[in-house]
Amino acid sequence: MAAWPAVPLLINLGGSLLGFVATLTLIPAFKDHFLAARLFGEDLNKASRHPVPEAQGVISGAVFLITLFCFIPVPFLRCFVEEQCAAFPYDEFVELIGSLLAICCMIFLGFADDVLNLRWRHKLLLPTMASLPLLMVYFTNFGNTTIVVPKPFRVLLGMHLDLGILYYVYMGMLAVFCTNAINILAGINGIEAGQSLVIAASIIVFNIVELNGDYRDDHIFSLYFMIPFFFTTLGLFYHNWYPSRVFVGDTFCYFAGMTFAVVGILGHFSKTMLLFFIPQVLNFLYSLPQLFHIIPCPRHRLPRLNPSTGKLEMSYSKFKTKSLSALGTNILKAVKILHIVDVRSGTDEDGEYTECNNMTLINFVIKLIGPTHERNLTLLLLLIQVLGSTIAFSIRYQLVRLFYDV
């Protein structure tokens, strides 16, 4: 891939622009087909409840795949039209095909989730299964499970540490996290596609900066995926922005997460990629008591609309006080003292009850700034995502010196 870096990237960019136009065009064209197939939902944060097509991530995902399927021969053109290719780079070819297989599997499984409405335990299993082709490609092409130990731990562990099978467990967990992290930071118009756009743009900037470094081929490989992903997601974002004409569905969340996992793992910058997920990590940590059902978790945790003001307010989880475990009671006491969760208690016809705001970053932002319009809330959350990427770049290029020799 290193011989002609500019030409394949330009062709990739051209195909991505066509993918953007195709996504913009195909989503409204297929609207009636999704409605006829009863793949639609209602926007719970709107006063007027009209059917909105769901699972539109399958369209942007399909365009993304078609774009890259057509692109497959391009990085290897020198082996078809020139004599400069001493041997065909089968390892790079397998890397490209294996990555597309993992993403294709994830789109299929995500669409199955949208159609069949699978349980949360299946949402953990599906990315694990879809990541197996990715892990096999890593095993056959690289197989390196040795990491550089951060400076503070070198006295105990030495300069390098071979994690063995644990490294593959880490990569599998990374794929699960990426897919579900986007899925649980959702519920308002434009947030899923918007956060993915910011993360993709951040990775593209990082790849371009690193093109002059020692791992140029890895970053070129990442750009081959990130550029089409950015433009197809941009087309989806146009239709998903407030007021949303379509919903992206779990299909898009899985597709986006697996694409990020692919470039992070095979591009060998998984730690840097996780830095671009700072808001998602904070949302995950904040959500843990509900995700593990220590605190009762309703099916939908999105904010609720106040029809009289037209603004979104925090949504709450209400439950019987006596149904809470000792651990749950202590957690509620702690978060109430820290003022990071709004906890209320009272008595009704069923006895004593407790309610707390649903633990998502979206509700936490509303807690800080008060009720706000949905469009403004999405913009604020995307600004937080941009701020997270800014912090990520600062850590990657400045604070990293405290932990590694660069």
Side-chain angles (χ1 to χ4, degrees):
M1 295 185 187
W4 280 4
V7 174
L9 285 174
L10 288 175
I11 295 174
N12 185 279
L13 177 60
S16 301
L17 291 173
L18 290 176
F20 168 68
V21 174
T23 306
L24 275 181
T25 306
L26 290 174
I27 287 177
F30 276 85
K31 177 180 179 180
D32 292 337
H33 294 275
F34 279 81
L35 293 176
R38 302 188 67 81
L39 285 172
F40 62 84
E42 293 181 345
D43 196 333
L44 301 179
N45 289 327
K46 302 292 185 299
S48 59
R49 301 288 180 85
H50 60 275
V52 180
E54 289 204 59
Q56 297 301 289
V58 74
I59 295 180
S60 65
V63 173
F64 170 86
L65 287 176
I66 291 171
T67 301
L68 280 179
F69 286 164
C70 295
F71 179 75
I72 287 174
V74 175
F76 313 101
L77 284 178
R78 66 184 186 277
C79 289
F80 298 128
V81 300
E82 294 185 2
E83 297 179 356
Q84 299 177 4
C85 184
F88 189 84
Y90 289 102
D91 56 337
E92 297 177 3
F93 183 73
V94 169
E95 191 176 317
L96 188 60
I97 298 299
S99 301
L100 288 173
L101 176 61
I103 295 171
C104 188
C105 288
M106 201 68 259
I107 293 174
F108 169 73
L109 294 173
F111 190 64
D113 185 11
D114 278 325
V115 173
L116 302 176
N117 202 15
L118 301 176
R119 295 181 178 273
W120 264 105
R121 60 175 175 267
H122 301 135
K123 296 177 187 289
L124 298 178
L125 181 64
L126 296 182
T128 305
M129 296 297 101
S131 66
L132 292 179
L134 185 63
L135 299 183
M136 285 304 302
V137 169
Y138 187 90
F139 175 77
T140 55
N141 275 16
F142 308 106
N144 182 23
T145 57
T146 301
I147 63 169
V148 178
V149 178
K151 290 180 181 179
F153 303 103
R154 288 179 185 174
V155 175
L156 296 174
L157 302 175
M159 184 73 174
H160 299 92
L161 178 66
D162 187 0
L163 296 179
I165 190 66
L166 292 179
Y167 194 79
Y168 291 93
V169 174
Y170 156 72
M171 289 189 290
M173 292 177 63
L174 179 67
V176 173
F177 172 77
C178 289
T179 52
N180 287 287
I182 294 174
N183 201 19
I184 63 175
L185 184 53
I188 57 177
N189 292 173
I191 189 64
E192 298 99 326
Q195 63 184 299
S196 299
L197 274 177
V198 175
I199 295 171
S202 303
I203 293 175
I204 289 172
V205 171
F206 172 67
N207 292 150
I208 292 173
V209 170
E210 292 293 319
L211 283 181
N212 292 324
D214 296 331
Y215 302 99
R216 173 176 144 187
D217 285 357
D218 294 332
H219 292 284
I220 290 174
F221 170 82
S222 175
L223 286 171
Y224 288 162
F225 285 83
M226 282 294 99
I227 295 174
F229 176 81
F230 178 86
F231 281 103
T232 53
T233 302
L234 187 62
L236 177 62
F237 180 69
Y238 174 81
H239 293 289
N240 185 234
W241 180 245
Y242 182 93
S244 180
R245 281 90 69 193
V246 300
F247 293 148
V248 300
D250 290 341
T251 307
F252 175 78
C253 298
Y254 289 167
F255 156 51
M258 183 56 73
T259 305
F260 293 141
V262 161
V263 299
I265 292 171
L266 296 185
H268 305 285
F269 58 90
S270 59
K271 295 189 292 294
T272 301
M273 191 201 63
L274 278 176
L275 290 175
F276 295 130
F277 276 75
I278 289 177
Q280 285 72 24
V281 171
L282 294 176
N283 181 62
F284 171 72
L285 295 175
Y286 187 55
S287 300
L288 275 178
Q290 285 193 312
L291 294 179
F292 286 97
H293 293 281
I294 301 171
I295 306 296
C297 181
R299 177 167 179 78
H300 295 293
R301 302 191 298 161
L302 67 162
R304 64 186 182 190
L305 174 70
N306 185 331
S308 61
T309 63
K311 295 182 177 180
L312 297 185
E313 300 176 351
M314 288 189 294
S315 61
Y316 286 81
S317 174
K318 184 178 179 181
F319 46 88
K320 293 181 180 180
T321 303
K322 62 182 180 181
S323 67
L324 206 59
S325 65
L327 178 59
T329 302
N330 290 327
I331 289 176
L332 278 187
K333 288 180 180 178
V335 295
K336 186 176 182 180
I337 292 172
L338 295 172
H339 299 286
I340 58 175
V341 174
D342 184 28
V343 183
R344 304 171 181 173
S345 299
T347 305
D348 57 14
E349 61 274 10
D350 296 323
E352 291 187 4
Y353 71 86
T354 301
E355 63 177 357
C356 65
N357 66 272
N358 286 308
M359 300 175 185
T360 67
L361 183 61
I362 299 174
N363 281 311
F364 183 70
V365 169
I366 295 176
K367 176 177 171 59
L368 293 179
I369 67 174
T372 186
H373 190 275
E374 185 174 2
R375 182 195 293 110
N376 297 335
L377 183 59
T378 303
L379 284 171
L380 181 56
L381 287 163
L382 293 183
L383 285 175
I384 292 174
Q385 191 73 52
V386 172
L387 176 62
S389 291
T390 304
I391 294 172
F393 279 113
S394 299
I395 295 173
R396 174 61 180 79
Y397 289 106
Q398 298 299 326
L399 293 182
V400 69
R401 293 179 175 86
L402 299 176
F403 299 94
Y404 296 100
D405 299 314
V406 293

